Structure formats: C-alpha cells, structure tokens
Amino acid sequence: MELDWLQMLLLSIVQGMCGVFPLSEGGFLTILRKLLGLSLDGSSDGLYSAMMQLAVALAVLFFFRRDWLACLSSVSRRAIDPASRTAQRLNRRMLTLILVGAVPMALSVFISVDFLGSLLVSAGTLILDGLV
C-alpha cells in the first residue's frame, strides 16, 4: 500500500515533533501507522521512512554543528588559557558521553537484527533508548 499525501504529512509532522525531544519517535510512528492502517514494519514505505530518518539526523547535525565542531576540535587542539582548558575538558567529556551512549544502541541493533519484527525487542529497544 502506497502512502498518500495526507499520510506522509501526518507521519512527517509526528517525526519532526518527536525527533527533537529526548523520546523515540518510533513508538509514536508505530501508533500512528496503526491508526492509519499502514504496515507497522514500514515495508510499504521503506524509502520514505529511510529518508525521514536521514532528514532528522541531518537536521540535528546542522542545528548542533558548532557544538559538534567544538567537541571534535577539542581532541586535536591544545588550549592555552585556563578558560579554554575548561571548555576543552567539557567538550571532550561531552564527546566521550556521546560515544558511550551510542554503544548500547548499536549493540541493541546488532542483537535484534534476527528478531526485528518482535514486539518485545522493539519495546526493549525503546526502553533502552530512553535510558541512554
């Protein structure tokens, strides 16, 4: 079943609203898909779902570009004055926390690949995402 424009608009609004909050929009999109009568696994609109995920990731990277650059440059540059050293230490800590926080999600994806359709695994991934 192909998505019509209204379904795309509704899914996009939910994706956009939930993508900026520390929530997993996947749960909200699953509920909306059920209400719209769409397949829950996104098999009918795989390209659309992938493009929406890419758009959210690019928007987040763009919005936080200065923070990302500060974190990344803190690894290669050496601060001279005390204020710069403090900022550099905080940026390194943030980068470390981002990397450590990404590990459980990456592991959950690799572990759940064989069980992708399982509701229990989806619920567990959402809970893990919330905890991280």
Side-chain angles (χ1 to χ4, degrees):
M1 174 178 171
E2 297 255 341
L3 292 176
D4 62 29
W5 285 103
L6 180 60
Q7 291 170 332
M8 279 189 207
L9 180 65
L10 290 173
L11 288 169
S12 299
I13 288 171
V14 169
Q15 177 93 29
M17 287 174 49
C18 297
V20 297
F21 296 116
L23 307 167
S24 176
E25 73 273 1
F28 295 105
L29 288 173
T30 300
I31 292 168
L32 184 59
R33 285 179 184 281
K34 183 74 171 170
L35 292 172
L36 293 174
L38 300 172
S39 67
L40 296 180
D41 63 357
S43 60
S44 63
D45 56 299
L47 179 61
Y48 174 78
S49 296
M51 295 307 288
M52 287 302 299
Q53 292 291 331
L54 179 63
V56 168
L58 290 174
V60 168
L61 286 174
F62 179 76
F63 186 80
F64 291 108
R65 67 188 178 279
R66 288 187 185 101
D67 297 322
W68 279 106
L69 289 173
C71 287
L72 293 173
S73 68
S74 71
V75 175
S76 63
R77 293 184 184 164
R78 183 169 170 87
I80 297 172
D81 60 274
S84 296
R85 273 190 238 127
T86 301
Q88 186 179 45
R89 195 171 336 131
L90 290 173
N91 286 329
R92 284 181 182 167
R93 180 171 164 77
M94 178 63 70
L95 185 60
T96 302
L97 291 173
I98 289 170
L99 294 174
V100 168
V103 170
M105 287 309 299
L107 289 175
S108 71
V109 168
F110 289 121
I111 291 169
S112 67
V113 163
D114 293 334
F115 309 105
L116 198 53
S118 169
L119 181 60
L120 182 60
V121 171
S122 296
T125 304
L126 287 173
I127 291 169
L128 182 62
D129 187 22
L131 292 175
V132 172

